Amino acid sequence: MNRFDYARPATLAEAVTAGALPNAAYLASGTNLMDLMKGGVARPSLLVDIGRLPGLDRIELLEDGGARIGAMVRNADLAYHPAFARRFPAVAEALLSGASAQLRNAATTGGNLLQRTRCAYFYDTASACNKRDPGAGCDAVGGENRLHAILGFSAQCIATHPSDFCVPLTALDAVVELLGPQGPREVKLEDFHLLPGSTPERETVLEPGELITAVRLPAAAADFAAHARYVKIRERTSYAFAVVSAAACLRLQGGVVTQARIALGSVALKPWRARAAEAALCGQRADAAAFRQAAETALQDASPSGDNAFKIELARRVVVRALSLAASGTPARLPALPASAFSGEVAHA
Amino acid sequence: MPEITLAQGQAHIRMGSSIGQPLTRWEGVLKTTGTARFAADQHQAGMVYACLAVSSIARGRVTSLDVAAARAHPGVIEVMTPANAPALALHPDAKHHPFMFRLDLLQSDAVRFANQPIAVVIAQTLEAATEGAALLAPRYEEQPARTGLDSATPFTPPFIGAGSPGAESHGDIEAGFAAASVRIEVEYDTPAQYHNPMEPHAIVAAWDGDRLSIDTPSQGMAMAQQRIAGLFGISPENIHIRSPFLGGGFGCKGMISGPQILGIMAARLVGRPVKLVLRREQMFGPVGHRAPTRQTLHLGADADGQLTALIHHARTATSTFDDFIEPAANASHSLYASPAIRTTHDAVRIDTGTPLFMRAPGEAPGSAALESAIDEMALACGMDPLAFRLKNYADVAPMTGKPFSSKALRACYQQGGERFGWAARPTAPRQMRDANGMLVGWGMGTAVFPALMFPAQAAAVLRRDGSGVVEIGAHDMGQGAWTALAQIAADALGLDRAHLEFRSGSSDLPDAGIAGGSAHTASAGSAIHGAGADVIAKLAALAMGDEASPLFGAGNAGVIARGGRLHRRDDEARSETYGEILARAGLEEIAGRGAVAPDQAAQAAYAMQAHGAVFAEVTVDPDFGQIRVTRLVGAFAAGTVINPRMVRSQYLGGMIWGVSFALHEHAAMDKRSGRTMNANFAEYHVPVNADVPSIEAILVDEHDEHVNALGVKGVGEIGITGTVGAIANAVWHATGVRVRSFPITLEQVMGL
């Protein structure tokens, strides 16, 4: 890896000043950044370690029913926070379906939002990648692209965002709190990541130096606690990124959907909110026909970006399953294999 | 947690014997506390670090390297390229015997495969060496890569695997098919897979004049010595290899690899000790792999379900510059009785690193295809898969007609099937669901692996203080070889384990042959057994010729060595300690040696192989096609069990590898560039614990008087065979979809 400077600021103000320097990168737990640096994909000249900044590691359950999650809160700490998991069970389920226990113990809230795609051509510095090297081309097109995007991709980039955590967060209207040299601001998570278009190198709305300080879930997000699930299809039972995933959160009244929230993961370069499907579900009976119709609507704009047409139908079925599970109610305890199609195991959480 | 039963251990324990006891690994505490020092943990005074730069193209030549940029990086000492690489005494493309594989050692600017070493950067720190390698920014003159099994005209190799004929035939194939009332012809694909022991290849090399000392993981130290000696023009005795711990081998550490030799060259170039450790992605190219195969099976059976003819053809790939032909079709030689069997191979040359022996080479992909085809044939004959296998049970070796040295396969079928509950299996697919509505399927496969043995030597010493020493340059890959060999040694010397000093893992000790072919316990163990017998015989001669000894005149009745004493066989109350015998003879110690080789007469007379039966249950999500192996039961018979704990672990490890082969493992190769795009552990999937919720291995009793003095057959590889087919067959049984391309992925069974 390249030689770099390392700074460990004591205050948020110092951090964003340092983070705005040319070619600086924030270092949280480094579960993704270190791999990128070892592979020569990321070559920052300054690492700004935010690991010891005060106040970023708090989980605040707000009185209005929402929650505020500090950017340095570890995935495992959040998932195993009992009161948080009760209010936002699909979020806990998504967190525990991600990575491995060791990674979840280290990986942070802010870092999860900012993890990079798993596209092999992005990680391989000998391949052409518009995201890594704007204008270079995209070797994923026509290459090994079985797991690539089916929504929102462009000729310049067909990668996906791999996060599990971000999927229910997007469904639940999470808000990202930012601090930059110009001061604080907020962005809806749904608007935080950018689709590739002709500028796949630009992945988020973050301005130079801007730092994620917290992620907030609004009070209304807790209203779905009784009917909130996350379903993740993965090629081995643990430690695998999603082929496709979906979060489904419902409010029901007498078997009729009064509100629905649906988001999909690993289908696009951002967590994919299916607003049209949500709207179509409202007022419908919570049954298989309505769920299938919602799934059709959610994927109506999907198309293969390569050897991945199966992901479109798979995504429909994942939406149906997530909605069905949500309708039948959030389980009292997290399943032993969170978000897995395979249940019936002894719960561990 | 996986379910691991140890219930059967007691059955194998023999009173007063170390053999048969389920001892834990001698080095277990060292490894679990991090105090075992692997090759990459070694440090030497003045040592510097080397990092490989590897090619990002699969074919062409390197036109430039920015050596100046690398050299200018702080800490970089030297950049080794074809321009300044130390001269070798033997060109690394020379090939004097089939086990001498061509190596890429910076002899030219040619690139023959992706990830081929093209330079080595040597620096004061690992970080500087790594960055120096990145700064080389190679430029290439690239030629189109030839990839895949259809990219070249196939050739027919005369020899395959370790030197078997590429085509073999028995009986009248045409007559066999003419007599068949049921025929199937099916084709299976298996992918390229890469050995990825947790410990990558690593070396610490230090020269002292023409004397070379090396810390490196090796499955064959004596062979490595010979190879290095030839390349550097020095005497093998001047090469000292230490290899006490391997973090896995699986075949890729059998022959010393090019990158390890580059570490030695780097040490010579800079005149200092050098450490070189492969990065994970560098494991995908220069250190071997399992070649892809496309296999066609053509089976005929009569109305009763008796096979009448079997043709197994395998196409595979090798490199453009060397030959290793995956002997996949030979899997059909040894299991099913058919009056006519023909196996053939062909291969294409593609722009890849040379494939190599990888755990169950040939047997693993060959068994995957054969056991799937047998399942398909059983269905075509309207028979239960186990009944079909029993109907076609081979009482003599199918190709040669030789009797088996031992074969407890019927007991494996019976015990495994009973434990699994096979009798309750409905014949038709899609008949079973679990409580969550998941499709459930049951499948089985037969496991088989040849019982091999290689020449090996050992030395034994008995001392006047009642202790003993056994020395052998054996290889512990993590499988527990030293533990089991020390048990053999204790029995061979008639000593309690506590009084035995067991020395191993160094090339300065007697040559234990290669830890491969599942033959290490048979080879090294037999040598130890021989060394023990030799030293005990010498000791007994002293005692029996000494009038002062209670054993005087035992003569033809002979003696028994046990617990540090020799006893008269015809009157065990008459005995004395080894120390007493040596003291009277005025000796401090007495030494013996053992040297063994396969018994040619026994091999000519008998077919020798281990057997097993594997039963698998899968659940498949009917919407997603997601597959999970919920239960695996294997029953294996492999002669004498030296250590049931280690043996069971070997079976379980093999079966888990079978899960990997069936459902996960494959190199995702970009067909345009010939590069492996998932060369990391996040994306090159092998099973995790949660993928193996229930796995059991049954150790079936078997006694073999012919394989070797100990009656030991190998257990290291057989677990993969049978398991892959069992899982594929269970997937069919669950879904009704027959997938003939491995690994089986969800889109193949999700019913699009």
Side-chain angles (χ1 to χ4, degrees), chain A residues 1-2 38 43 118 120-121 124 126 139 141 143 146 233-237 317 321 341-342 345, chain B residues 56 131 279 438 619 621 623-624 626 628 664 669-670 672 675 677 681 683 686 691 747 750-751:
Chain A
M1 78 177 59
N2 60 304
K38 287 183 200 168
R43 296 176 69 86
R118 297 306 304 183
Y121 298 91
D124 172 31
D139 276 347
V141 172
R146 180 174 160 264
I233 304 304
R234 57 201 128 167
E235 302 204 288
R236 63 182 167 190
T237 307
R317 296 181 189 181
R321 179 72 60 84
F342 302 106
E345 314 269 335
Chain B
S56 62
E131 181 63 7
R279 295 163 63 91
M438 300 285 159
T619 59
D621 188 295
D623 295 331
F624 305 145
Q626 216 179 339
R628 192 152 186 248
H664 300 294
M669 204 234 282
D670 188 310
R672 304 163 301 184
R675 308 184 61 218
M677 298 311 297
F681 275 167
E683 270 94 11
V686 296
D691 289 308
E747 67 264 43
M750 68 178 275

Side-chain angles (χ1 to χ4, degrees), chain B residues 293-593:
Chain B
T293 73
R294 182 184 303 150
Q295 302 176 56
T296 311
L297 279 117
H298 193 179
L299 275 58
D302 66 20
D304 294 333
Q306 177 68 56
L307 288 170
T308 58
L310 190 167
I311 300 176
H312 191 161
H313 174 72
R315 172 164 300 172
T316 185
T318 188
S319 69
T320 56
F321 55 92
D322 208 347
D323 293 311
F324 180 83
I325 310 296
E326 182 81 8
N330 288 3
S332 286
H333 286 170
S334 51
L335 267 182
Y336 299 107
S338 171
I341 298 174
R342 179 191 296 159
T343 59
T344 53
H345 294 80
D346 63 18
V348 294
R349 294 199 181 281
I350 60 176
D351 297 307
T352 176
T354 305
L356 207 59
F357 303 94
M358 178 161 156
R359 201 175 186 184
E363 286 86 2
S367 167
L370 173 65
E371 292 303 313
S372 297
I374 288 292
D375 204 66
E376 297 203 50
M377 193 57 169
L379 181 73
C381 293
M383 291 175 68
D384 170 82
L386 177 53
F388 183 82
R389 285 172 171 84
L390 288 169
K391 176 80 183 174
N392 290 283
Y393 192 89
D395 290 308
V396 296
M399 294 291 280
T400 62
K402 288 184 196 174
F404 291 104
S405 61
S406 62
K407 180 175 180 179
L409 177 56
R410 283 186 201 279
C412 296
Y413 285 139
Q414 194 270 327
Q415 292 181 34
E418 190 165 295
R419 177 76 185 167
F420 184 84
W422 181 260
R425 178 184 179 272
T427 305
R430 292 185 78 95
Q431 299 299 304
M432 299 192 291
R433 298 252 179 177
D434 74 4
N436 299 305
M438 300 285 159
L439 295 162
V440 175
W442 290 355
M444 67 165 297
T446 309
V448 64
F449 200 84
L452 304 175
M453 183 174 163
F454 303 123
Q457 299 162 30
V461 171
L462 290 171
R463 297 182 183 128
R464 192 192 284 199
D465 66 3
S467 67
V469 182
V470 164
E471 294 185 326
I472 185 163
H475 314 88
D476 197 319
M477 296 187 280
Q479 84 278 46
W482 289 23
T483 306
L485 293 176
Q487 289 177 257
I488 295 169
D491 280 7
L493 294 188
L495 288 174
D496 296 336
R497 179 69 186 84
H499 293 114
L500 171 73
E501 187 182 335
F502 185 78
R503 296 179 186 154
S504 196
S506 161
S507 69
D508 296 344
L509 302 174
D511 175 9
I514 189 167
S518 295
H520 204 38
T521 309
S523 312
S526 296
I528 291 167
H529 181 79
D534 185 42
V535 73
I536 292 293
K538 288 177 178 167
L539 186 72
L542 282 180
M544 291 188 296
D546 182 349
E547 289 182 13
S549 169
L551 305 172
F552 176 70
N556 290 339
V559 296
I560 298 169
R562 189 171 63 230
R565 306 177 75 89
L566 291 185
H567 303 257
R568 272 187 79 121
R569 192 180 296 277
D570 57 358
D571 179 5
E572 294 199 19
R574 295 166 70 181
S575 73
E576 66 177 335
T577 68
Y578 301 167
E580 287 164 344
I581 299 168
L582 289 171
R584 261 200 324 277
L587 295 173
E588 281 304 313
E589 60 180 42
I590 188 166
R593 289 192 76 84

